[in-house]
Each structure stands twice: as structure tokens, then as C-alpha cells.
Amino acid sequence: MSSKFSRKELYDLVWSQPVSQIIKEYSISNSTFKALCKDNNIPLPKNGHWQKIKHNKKVIVIPLPELDKEQGEICLKEDLKTLSKLNELVRAIKNDESLPLKVPENFNKTDAIIVRTKRYYNAVAKTKYPREVDKPKEYVFTIQVSKSLEKRAYLFADTLIKLMKARGHDFINVTDSEYTSGNGDKLVVFGEYYNIRIREPDYRIMEDHPTYSWKEAKYYPTGKLMLKLDDLHDYAWTDTKNQLLEYKLPNILAYLELRAKREIKERIKREIWHKEYKRKRKIEEELKAKRNKELEAFKSVINHSSRWQKAMDLRNYIQVVESNAIKNDKLTKELKDWLKWIKDKADWYDPLVEKEDELFDGIDRGTI
């Protein structure tokens, strides 16, 4: 089976064997696989389906539903491999007792980044002109939440920083333009740079008035905590009904590490491709330069050959004119002067002689 599966092929896989066998084959959890099916609107067999088949009883096969909008192909094998790696890493992180995975109820040995961050935001809150407050040159965690979520946000950020540092990662302020990811506060994972912040999603309510637009809507905090990556491929973790953000630290760490490794691998591939492209381009340019050089040299030989032939034709003509004048006793002084003049010009034009001529100085012989 190919590495790419359409919805139909995923559907066929689900209805060809029990989910328990599929998740065992791909080393992923039951909930993860069911979530993948749900995301792609793939119906699952009802309870007892495979037992009925085993005993030759009639079963109901739910047809693959059509989608309201066009659904692109999904890379099932790649998705499952990625999910498998993610789950394995999450389990390894949870089993590592040296990692600070629990967010405390109160601050304890607060990291310097959070101390600096709290000091900065306190200064911002006390002024009418926040933009006039100088942001520290060192890393400051971006936190955008309502007052009621401040303590949770700071405690979560403090634990996240300690967890990342325990795994050898770092938080820095990038001010050197050599970094391709841009300047500003960055989380660094295996040398990859990420914009990361904590925010509180909000919802808006438009007032009950016909002249109001969405721009005039009122925004209200949701009371949910969110950790967000701001880049080309935005990603976020947030509070849900079943799990607060504080309990998602293993998943956050695992995702960031796997993503960084994947991006490093992809960058190395791009660098290899670019290096090979430059090598081929250099060969093509050298070949083109060599071809142009030889073409110009050949054109020069053709030009010289043509000029030499014309010079020889001219000398033959001069000889015929002179012989005819002598034969007919018409070799006058004026003709002798002319013959000398034209012989000199033939010598000037001949590429094997190229006699100097003051009046023709600077004239390109090849254009004549």
C-alpha cells in the first residue's frame, strides 16, 4: 500500500480489521486513532461488529459519508508514525522523575525570566503610556491574560521554563539579524527558534443595535489559558472541559522537540538540495562561459580568415590593375600613387600584417 491514503482507503482500513489491531500495528492510543477518524469523518464499526462476523452473523456496514467540501488526501502512514512517536515521547517524559511536570500552587524559586516578566508587566500596568516602558533586553515571556488568570499564567510559564531548561532548551532575546527566525523573544529547541506566548482567548458580542458592526462588538475574556506558537504554522494548547493547560506540559514538550527535529531534518534536506543545485548551476555556467569563449574565438578566426581572403583578393585586383596599366602604357604618376595607397590599405586590412595607418587609427577592421 502506498504512503498516501485517501479517505476511502482509511475507511477501508477501519472496516477491514478491528481497531485494536490497527492501533497495535501503529503503536498509538485508541483515543488518538478515533480522533483521526473523527477529523476525517470516517465511521467506525459498532460494538460487537467483529464478533458477529466471527459467528457468520449479519452486520451493518456504515457507508463512507460524503463531505460538504472537498477533502484532500491525508498521509495516514505519516500521521500514524508521527502520532506514535509523539505518544512514545510523551510517555517517556511522564516517566522521567527528574523533570518538573507539576505546576505548583505557589511560587518556589521562581525563574529569573518570570521575575523579570512580572516586573515588566507591573510597570506597564501602573502607567497610562505602556509603550514608554522599556522592555528588558533579556528574555521576557509574553503573557496576555486578564487579572483573574495572572497567577495561573505566571506559575504555568515558570514551570514551562524550568521544564524546557531541564531538557537542555533555552529562552533568549534575539537581536542579531543573522537569525533567520527574526528578532525578539524566542524559545530555542535544538537550535530551532520559536515565538511563544501565553494568552487568554476572548469572545465578542455585538450589541443589539442595527447600526452596530463587528468592529463595534464588545470583547470578553473566556477565562481559559492558552499557550500559543506564533509562526507560519500556528499551534496552540488551551484549557478544555476535561483537562487544564497545566496537565499538558508533557505533550507540549514532546510536540516542540519532535517538531524541532523534523524541521532540522527538513532544513538539512533543503541545504543538500540547494548545495546540489548550486553545484549543477556552477557546472552549467562554466560550460556556458567556455562555450561563449570558444564561440568568440571561432568567430574571430572566421573574421580573420574572411579579412585575409579579402586582402588577398584586393592584392590580386591591385596586381591586375597595375599589369593592365603597364601593358597599355597608362601607368601614370597618379596611378602609381593610388597603387601605393591601396597596397598600404591592403596591408592595414590583412590580419596577418595589420600595418599601422594613422588616418584609420581606432577603426575596427572587422566591421569593414
Side-chain angles (χ1 to χ4, degrees):
M1 193 173 285
S2 65
S3 61
K4 284 190 176 182
F5 290 75
S6 64
R7 285 184 66 245
K8 178 63 168 58
E9 288 170 318
L10 175 55
Y11 169 80
D12 291 340
L13 176 66
V14 167
W15 288 86
S16 65
Q17 57 183 306
V19 171
S20 59
Q21 294 181 19
I22 298 174
I23 62 177
K24 184 178 180 181
E25 179 182 349
Y26 290 98
S27 301
I28 65 172
S29 67
N30 183 57
S31 60
T32 300
F33 183 75
K34 287 185 176 180
L36 181 64
C37 292
K38 182 179 179 181
D39 290 342
N40 292 279
N41 199 11
I42 306 295
L44 297 174
K46 300 292 184 181
N47 291 337
H49 176 87
W50 300 105
Q51 283 296 323
K52 288 181 180 180
I53 290 180
K54 184 178 180 181
H55 293 92
N56 297 317
K57 292 184 178 180
K58 186 178 180 180
V59 294
I60 298 175
V61 177
I62 304 172
L64 177 64
E66 293 185 2
L67 296 178
D68 294 335
K69 57 183 180 179
E70 188 173 336
Q71 173 80 24
E73 281 196 331
I74 55 174
C75 298
L76 177 58
K77 280 188 176 179
E78 293 304 316
D79 285 347
L80 294 178
K81 285 179 182 178
T82 301
L83 290 170
S84 175
K85 289 180 181 178
L86 181 64
N87 289 334
E88 288 175 7
L89 185 53
V90 168
R91 285 195 293 270
I93 291 171
K94 287 181 177 179
N95 292 331
D96 190 342
E97 296 181 356
S98 67
L99 296 177
L101 295 173
K102 185 177 180 180
V103 179
E105 294 182 359
N106 294 295
F107 294 99
N108 180 29
K109 296 182 181 180
T110 308
D111 189 271
I113 293 176
I114 295 303
V115 173
R116 194 161 55 238
T117 301
K118 290 174 70 175
R119 189 184 301 123
Y120 168 70
Y121 282 113
N122 286 338
V124 169
K126 291 177 181 179
T127 180
K128 293 182 179 179
Y129 310 102
R131 293 184 180 180
E132 294 183 0
V133 179
D134 292 332
K135 195 173 184 181
K137 292 182 179 179
E138 299 86 358
Y139 186 93
V140 175
F141 210 116
T142 301
I143 298 178
Q144 301 159 321
V145 297
S146 61
K147 192 70 177 177
S148 62
L149 282 182
E150 275 188 1
K151 185 176 180 180
R152 271 191 69 197
Y154 284 128
L155 285 169
F156 174 79
D158 185 54
T159 308
L160 176 65
I161 291 169
K162 291 173 181 175
L163 174 61
M164 288 295 173
K165 288 184 176 180
R167 292 285 282 191
H169 310 311
D170 203 359
F171 297 80
I172 66 172
N173 183 282
V174 180
T175 56
D176 195 332
S177 60
E178 72 176 285
Y179 291 99
T180 57
S181 54
N183 297 337
D185 297 320
K186 305 288 180 183
L187 163 63
V188 187
V189 182
F190 300 136
E192 297 298 300
Y193 294 81
Y194 300 102
N195 298 316
I196 193 167
R197 63 187 171 111
I198 293 175
R199 65 180 294 264
E200 178 180 7
D202 51 30
Y203 64 94
R204 57 188 180 179
I205 298 178
M206 190 170 70
E207 296 294 331
D208 187 16
H209 195 287
T211 61
Y212 276 47
S213 66
W214 281 113
K215 291 182 179 179
E216 298 169 307
K218 291 186 177 181
Y219 290 80
Y220 299 90
T222 60
K224 293 182 178 180
L225 205 60
M226 172 189 286
L227 178 69
K228 192 171 188 300
L229 290 179
D230 293 315
D231 56 14
L232 183 62
H233 308 287
D234 285 354
Y235 202 88
W237 300 264
T238 189
D239 290 339
T240 61
K241 291 182 179 180
N242 300 322
Q243 192 177 46
L244 294 177
L245 184 63
E246 285 86 341
Y247 298 99
K248 299 181 180 181
L249 283 169
N251 302 74
I252 293 169
L253 176 59
Y255 171 84
L256 288 167
E257 289 190 345
L258 287 179
R259 176 171 171 173
K261 288 180 179 180
R262 183 179 70 250
E263 290 177 351
I264 290 170
K265 186 177 179 180
E266 290 172 353
R267 188 177 65 254
I268 291 173
K269 280 185 178 180
R270 289 195 301 270
E271 288 173 353
I272 292 173
W273 178 89
H274 187 64
K275 185 176 180 180
E276 180 64 13
Y277 171 80
K278 287 179 67 177
R279 185 187 70 84
K280 291 181 178 179
R281 184 72 181 269
K282 184 179 179 182
I283 292 174
E284 290 176 0
E285 289 177 349
E286 289 176 348
L287 179 62
K288 183 178 179 180
K290 182 178 179 181
R291 181 168 58 243
N292 290 340
K293 184 178 179 181
E294 291 199 3
L295 182 60
E296 290 302 315
F298 181 69
K299 286 180 179 179
S300 178
V301 172
I302 293 295
N303 180 267
H304 282 201
S305 173
S306 176
R307 281 173 47 201
W308 175 82
Q309 186 61 54
K310 290 179 180 179
M312 293 302 295
D313 291 342
L314 182 58
R315 290 192 179 99
N316 290 334
Y317 171 72
I318 294 170
Q319 185 177 0
V320 170
V321 170
E322 185 176 15
S323 298
N324 188 60
I326 293 172
K327 180 180 178 180
N328 295 311
D329 195 21
K330 293 182 179 180
L331 189 59
T332 63
K333 182 178 181 304
E334 290 78 5
L335 183 57
K336 287 181 181 180
D337 292 340
W338 181 86
L339 289 171
K340 181 179 182 309
W341 173 82
I342 195 62
K343 287 177 182 179
D344 289 340
K345 291 298 183 271
D347 290 341
W348 172 84
Y349 188 70
D350 190 337
L352 302 181
V353 180
E354 292 192 346
K355 182 179 179 180
E356 294 294 328
D357 189 303
E358 184 176 351
L359 290 177
F360 281 10
D361 185 34
I363 295 177
D364 185 1
R365 295 173 176 85
T367 61
I368 299 177

